[in-house]
Amino acid sequence: RMLIMKLCLWYNECKERRTGEGAKDEYIIFSDTKRRGGTCGGDDTLRRVVEKLEYHGYSAIPLLALDGKYIGTITEGDLLWEMKEKDFPDVHRMEKIRITDVKRRRDNEAVKISESMEDLFEKITNQNFVPVVDDNGIFIGIVTRKDVLLYLAGKLRNHWKGTIKNVWEEATRTK
């Protein structure tokens, strides 16, 4: 399921004040991973998270506290290092290891729903996905690098559509 998020209210307000132009709202589609089971919770075990990553085909998954707040990101690498450190536990031992006890090497930085598109673009250049949280830190979903590239491709296509048509008409006009 996809949701439409308004991610640059602040940017538009600033632009309007700065330029005096009426700003247009920008929208980007993001994945609602909570509804699809694409998150792990603070009470999940190592085994459960390994199974979720395998089932969904993910290489990383957002980690949420029991109250729904975004804690960080668990990656395949984090799980591999944990299993190596624990001498590659069997399935039964993996059920006893809480995911919150797994050392995370790097967390994906989240954006608040009210942050600008520039903040999102800055983060997505260094991460495969950016978690989106509300003003209380409650996890809402993720924006993937693919989501941003498709958004930008659409903007570029719309921008050049009229220009290319005008250039073609000018070039083919008989003199």
Side-chain angles (χ1 to χ4, degrees):
R1 180 176 164 192
M2 302 301 272
L3 298 176
I4 296 178
M5 293 300 303
K6 205 182 262 193
L7 288 175
C8 64
L9 295 173
W10 176 82
Y11 171 75
N12 286 337
E13 289 170 11
C14 290
K15 180 179 175 186
E16 191 170 358
R17 273 182 284 193
R18 213 174 38 248
T19 64
E21 299 173 10
K24 296 177 184 162
D25 288 340
E26 299 287 332
Y27 295 90
I28 196 162
I29 296 175
F30 81 98
S31 303
D32 182 9
T33 54
K34 276 202 300 199
R35 288 204 173 88
R36 294 185 301 145
T39 62
C40 58
D43 58 346
D44 280 341
T45 64
L46 178 61
R47 177 184 176 180
R48 183 173 169 100
V49 173
V50 167
E51 289 171 349
K52 279 186 181 186
L53 288 174
E54 179 184 25
Y55 177 79
H56 291 287
Y58 297 154
S59 59
I61 193 167
L63 174 61
L64 309 182
L66 296 176
D67 63 359
K69 290 188 177 178
Y70 173 70
I71 297 173
T73 304
I74 294 289
T75 67
E76 289 175 323
D78 297 336
L79 300 178
L80 182 62
W81 286 113
E82 180 72 17
M83 287 189 270
K84 180 183 180 275
E85 188 176 292
K86 302 269 195 262
D87 200 27
F88 296 96
D90 64 20
V91 173
H92 299 294
R93 281 184 39 214
M94 286 173 60
E95 289 174 351
K96 293 180 170 76
I97 300 170
R98 293 175 46 90
I99 199 62
T100 51
D101 295 335
V102 172
K103 182 180 176 191
R104 297 186 315 273
R105 268 106 185 127
R106 189 181 76 129
D107 288 324
N108 287 11
E109 285 186 62
V111 293
K112 287 186 179 176
I113 196 165
S114 57
E115 287 187 54
S116 71
M117 292 294 261
E118 282 80 11
D119 292 334
L120 172 65
F121 294 156
E122 185 178 313
K123 288 183 173 104
I124 202 69
T125 59
N126 299 314
Q127 308 173 173
N128 288 332
F129 68 86
V130 177
V132 180
V133 297
D134 68 11
D135 290 333
N136 297 317
I138 303 295
F139 179 80
I140 299 170
I142 65 170
V143 176
T144 65
R145 191 174 289 153
K146 180 180 177 182
D147 294 332
V148 171
L149 288 172
L150 291 173
Y151 165 81
L152 291 173
K155 296 288 278 180
L156 190 61
R157 189 173 32 256
N158 290 339
H159 174 77
W160 286 104
K161 190 177 187 180
T163 305
I164 291 172
K165 183 179 177 188
N166 293 341
V167 168
W168 177 256
E169 287 173 356
E170 188 71 31
T172 58
R173 189 180 309 161
T174 57
K175 297 187 178 188

